[in-house]
Amino acid sequence: KLSLVIFTCMVGVKATTLDDVLYDDDGKVQYAYYRMDNYDTISSVYASDYTDFDVGVDAFRVDWNTTFSIFDSPKEVHVSRYDVAYTDGKYSRVGGEGGYLMIPSGGAFFFSTSPLAYLEDMTTGLYGSEFSDTSMAFASGLSCIGMNVGASATAGENISIVVVTSGTYDEIFGTDGAPTVASECQEASFLTGYDDLHNNPVDYVVNGTCSEVLSGPGGAEDYDNLDSPIKPLVPHYHSRGALYYNAVGSSAYDTNVSSLQVGELRFVQEGYYYGPETMDPWPGSTVFSLHEPDPSSIVISSAEARKESAKKSHLETYTSGPGSSYTPCSFACLDTPGTTETTMRCVAP
């Protein structure tokens, strides 16, 4: 049995609306919408012109009280967003000169409406990842990340950058010169866009049953994580939950729930049956579907894979590549509720 809830709101603070969050009877979030205007708190933050750090730029941080987790999440996942005012085509630095975020051990996802955003590794001073409004990025845990964003292509229109973290993070911002980079900061590993994030190198095994599995495009060797852009889809559920980010156009998922708009995020719990997924216009919309909604489940491939996975206790036993007889666990199932005894999950080996 599922029930809708509404959040109480303090005077002067936005609040999540009736149809934006669904809990089950045990208090587990089944879906949550993170919209442009349904945040719970808003605060001013410092930002500056990237070419002249003495020139301030209007910027705000918004946060939601609604967090989420899946069955093997080590912590609750938090969502925040930074909104930066239009700067006549210039780049802005969130947090001002040398400002950065201290990413928790589980890592972070970044999405933005900026035509080009840069993430800086504060330990090396290198710009390890750049992405646009039709892409996304992941930064590894315990790194310290600076955020530089280009102005909107539309005069007068603000840009946003959404940050999704396993656990909470710290802001190290300042208005009086660059802050010192903390000794705890570790060198960052970045993954950017479909090429880096489509396959998550974890050989999950099937738990439960599904008679009609859904396979994504591209044939991921291990676990199909990021699909972008996605197409309209019939009703289904996810084996590890999912995050949807709407980049172009709008998209709809849940009955009697308003469509997701540009710059907005939706979480859906594993095993929750919904749909169909529709886009407007179609073709012409761009939506990301991320099948690891918890950033702590992302494993950096190549030589860094084992070092990174060692930080993630719930994935300690992952294998770096499938054997000849390995069949990837599917990210979703088309079975309607009640046709199988249990829903399918993809669980760590």
Side-chain angles (χ1 to χ4, degrees):
K1 182 180 176 181
L2 302 173
S3 56
L4 286 167
V5 297
I6 186 168
F7 289 96
T8 20
C9 172
M10 295 184 296
V11 175
V13 180
K14 297 280 187 179
T16 308
T17 58
L18 180 63
D19 64 354
D20 285 340
V21 182
L22 180 69
Y23 287 95
D24 66 12
D25 284 347
D26 295 323
K28 195 78 169 177
V29 173
Q30 300 301 291
Y31 64 66
Y33 286 72
Y34 298 89
R35 302 188 187 276
M36 282 294 173
D37 61 356
N38 74 343
Y39 48 82
D40 292 292
T41 60
I42 181 170
S43 57
S44 177
V45 296
Y46 186 70
S48 69
D49 186 314
Y50 183 68
T51 59
D52 186 349
F53 293 118
D54 292 328
V55 177
V57 174
D58 289 337
F60 297 89
R61 170 179 169 173
V62 304
D63 291 278
W64 289 265
N65 294 336
T66 303
T67 61
F68 61 83
S69 59
I70 63 171
F71 58 89
D72 60 2
S73 293
K75 298 178 180 178
E76 285 293 299
V77 177
H78 295 250
V79 181
S80 301
R81 189 183 76 229
Y82 294 89
D83 295 330
V84 182
Y86 181 74
T87 53
D88 195 22
K90 298 179 180 180
Y91 277 85
S92 298
R93 174 70 175 224
V94 179
E97 182 181 9
Y100 61 92
L101 307 182
M102 294 186 69
I103 305 301
S105 60
F109 296 134
F110 294 84
F111 307 86
S112 183
T113 60
S114 171
L116 197 59
Y118 293 85
L119 300 183
E120 180 182 1
D121 179 359
M122 300 303 296
T123 64
T124 64
L126 299 176
Y127 291 95
S129 184
E130 61 181 56
F131 60 101
S132 71
D133 51 354
T134 55
S135 186
M136 63 165 293
F138 166 83
S140 58
L142 306 179
S143 59
C144 292
I145 304 299
M147 299 184 294
N148 303 288
V149 290
S152 169
T154 304
E157 188 174 278
N158 297 345
I159 67 93
S160 66
I161 185 163
V162 175
V163 184
V164 180
T165 57
S166 172
T168 58
Y169 64 88
D170 293 323
E171 285 179 354
I172 311 298
F173 293 170
T175 59
D176 188 20
T180 302
V181 177
S183 59
E184 300 96 319
C185 295
Q186 297 185 9
E187 185 173 343
S189 294
F190 294 107
L191 298 174
T192 307
Y194 179 87
D195 288 346
D196 288 349
L197 285 162
H198 174 57
N199 183 61
N200 191 31
V202 181
D203 292 350
Y204 291 122
V205 296
V206 175
N207 180 274
T209 54
C210 174
S211 60
E212 191 174 0
V213 298
L214 180 66
S215 297
E221 288 187 343
D222 303 276
Y223 181 68
D224 183 316
N225 179 30
L226 176 63
D227 286 337
S228 171
I230 62 172
K231 300 178 180 180
L233 184 61
V234 297
H236 59 283
Y237 68 84
H238 289 273
S239 56
R240 291 186 57 79
L243 279 181
Y244 289 84
Y245 180 78
N246 203 107
V248 179
S250 65
S251 54
Y253 308 88
D254 300 296
T255 304
N256 297 324
V257 181
S258 302
S259 297
L260 208 62
Q261 303 298 317
V262 173
E264 296 182 340
L265 190 74
R266 169 185 178 264
F267 163 74
V268 65
Q269 185 62 252
E270 56 90 13
Y272 179 74
Y273 186 82
Y274 69 94
E277 293 177 5
T278 60
M279 289 95 199
D280 184 22
W282 181 259
S285 294
T286 300
V287 180
F288 313 156
S289 179
L290 195 63
H291 307 138
E292 294 279 22
D294 185 337
S296 72
S297 295
I298 299 299
V299 171
I300 306 292
S301 58
S302 74
E304 295 296 305
R306 294 193 181 279
K307 182 177 76 172
E308 289 297 323
S309 69
K311 299 176 185 176
K312 310 171 191 297
S313 59
H314 59 304
L315 296 177
E316 282 177 340
T317 59
Y318 99 103
T319 54
S320 59
S324 58
S325 62
Y326 176 70
T327 300
C329 185
S330 178
F331 69 89
C333 179
L334 300 179
D335 293 354
T336 54
T339 57
T340 57
E341 289 186 9
T342 58
T343 57
M344 178 181 68
R345 281 181 172 178
C346 294
V347 301

